[in-house]
Amino acid sequence: MKWEGNRESDNVEDRRSGGGGGFGGGRSIGIGTVVIALIGWGVFGINPLTTIGLLSGGDAPQVQQAPAQRPPEGDRQAAFVSTVLASTEDVWGQIFRQGGAQYREPKLVLYRGATPTACGTGQSAMGPFYCPGDHKVYLDMDFFDTMSRQLGAPGEFARAYVIAHEVGHHVQTLLGATGKVDSMRGRVSQREQNALSVRLELQADCYAGVWAHHSQQAKNWLDESDIESAINAAEQIGDDTLQRQQTGTVRPDAFTHGSSAQRVRWFTQGLKTGSVRACDTFSAQAL
């Protein structure tokens, strides 16, 4: 992925100074706990905060926020993240303008360990996530190492896909899809709620593909290996793949993010068409 020399976004908060947000009075969370929490989230629909509370022997830790600032010069990983974010701003800004609307750009927060959010305490074990309450994407970049070493998803464009997926959730919030799904909580069964969650996640995958389509047209910064790395990442984090690795069995009714094949299909759908309308997972009879 030829990202060097492209515009970097100003919408990046760096909370990593001074060690970032620390876990007050609790044990630190190692990389093994990260994977356990991710499996608990992706496979069983368990809130990562609950998983971490159980593994650390208590409630979710209290966190003191480090002062937000711009990433330092020379931080290559931060520059990469800022460049990808800038590209999502360009793509979604143009798409919204073409639709007669204005795109509200999200903030991306870099942190270590844990950090306060409008959705509760964000923790690295959750992986990258988006909080609709404050319109921010949260990222502990140690997750990129987890992707490469433990989830079998290396490559810069695999990382870009993850960022674009979380920005896709921001787009869903702006367009109202997130609110509609959240409004169903408590009104439908857990199985039906899981099914809605799958459609929401697959749409975010499709939106990541839409971004990739338009960013490639504008910058020509991807090659075939980049696309392959993103597709591999989608395969590795499918619910069926994680379930099979963890338990040896697959339970489709417990899916919350979609199967590997579904995640690849919808990312590819967005990539090939570049169309937001082609990402209507909620109307699709077959996912």
Side-chain angles (χ1 to χ4, degrees), residues 162-214:
V162 168
I163 296 168
H165 173 93
E166 299 307 330
V167 172
H169 283 310
H170 175 66
V171 173
Q172 289 173 318
T173 298
L174 297 181
L175 297 180
T178 303
K180 289 180 180 178
V181 171
D182 285 345
S183 71
M184 299 301 293
R185 296 188 186 278
R187 299 168 56 188
V188 298
S189 69
Q190 186 61 55
R191 182 174 181 174
E192 290 171 315
Q193 188 66 53
N194 288 348
L196 287 172
S197 176
V198 166
R199 290 180 184 271
L200 197 69
E201 294 294 336
L202 293 179
Q203 187 176 65
D205 280 332
C206 190
Y207 285 168
V210 170
W211 161 74
H213 174 96
H214 290 282

Side-chain angles (χ1 to χ4, degrees), residues 3-4 8 14 16 70-83 110 112 141:
W3 58 271
E4 294 92 338
E8 296 181 26
D14 192 345
R16 298 172 297 167
R70 291 294 306 278
E73 295 291 334
D75 186 328
R76 181 175 172 80
Q77 275 200 327
F80 170 77
V81 168
S82 299
T83 301
L110 304 177
R112 287 194 180 99
M141 286 193 290

Side-chain angles (χ1 to χ4, degrees), residues 56-249:
S56 60
D59 297 329
Q62 298 298 312
V63 180
Q64 183 175 2
Q65 180 178 333
Q69 57 187 19
R70 291 294 306 278
E73 295 291 334
D75 186 328
R76 181 175 172 80
Q77 275 200 327
F80 170 77
V81 168
S82 299
T83 301
V84 172
L85 183 63
S87 177
T88 67
E89 293 167 351
D90 294 340
V91 168
W92 288 111
Q94 181 180 15
I95 290 174
F96 271 61
R97 283 193 299 272
Q98 289 174 345
Q102 182 175 0
Y103 178 60
R104 294 174 56 192
E105 298 173 350
K107 290 277 188 178
L108 192 152
V109 178
L110 304 177
Y111 71 99
R112 287 194 180 99
T115 192
T117 83
C119 300
T121 300
Q123 303 181 26
S124 59
M126 298 167 67
F129 65 96
Y130 172 73
C131 174
D134 55 23
H135 290 188
K136 292 181 179 181
V137 173
Y138 290 86
L139 171 64
D140 183 329
M141 286 193 290
D142 287 345
F143 179 75
F144 289 157
D145 290 332
T146 303
M147 286 181 62
S148 297
R149 298 176 184 177
Q150 300 199 15
L151 298 181
E156 285 185 331
F157 193 62
R159 300 175 179 185
Y161 153 72
V162 168
I163 296 168
H165 173 93
E166 299 307 330
V167 172
H169 283 310
H170 175 66
V171 173
Q172 289 173 318
T173 298
L174 297 181
L175 297 180
T178 303
K180 289 180 180 178
V181 171
D182 285 345
S183 71
M184 299 301 293
R185 296 188 186 278
R187 299 168 56 188
V188 298
S189 69
Q190 186 61 55
R191 182 174 181 174
E192 290 171 315
Q193 188 66 53
N194 288 348
L196 287 172
S197 176
V198 166
R199 290 180 184 271
L200 197 69
E201 294 294 336
L202 293 179
Q203 187 176 65
D205 280 332
C206 190
Y207 285 168
V210 170
W211 161 74
H213 174 96
H214 290 282
S215 69
Q216 175 67 354
Q217 283 190 335
K219 300 180 183 297
N220 192 31
W221 60 351
L222 306 176
D223 58 30
E224 189 62 32
S225 65
D226 292 317
I227 303 302
E228 290 173 356
S229 71
I231 290 175
N232 174 65
E235 289 177 339
Q236 296 303 323
I237 59 178
D239 286 328
D240 56 336
T241 298
L242 291 175
Q243 284 183 353
R244 193 175 293 109
Q245 291 174 350
Q246 181 69 5
T247 68
T249 59

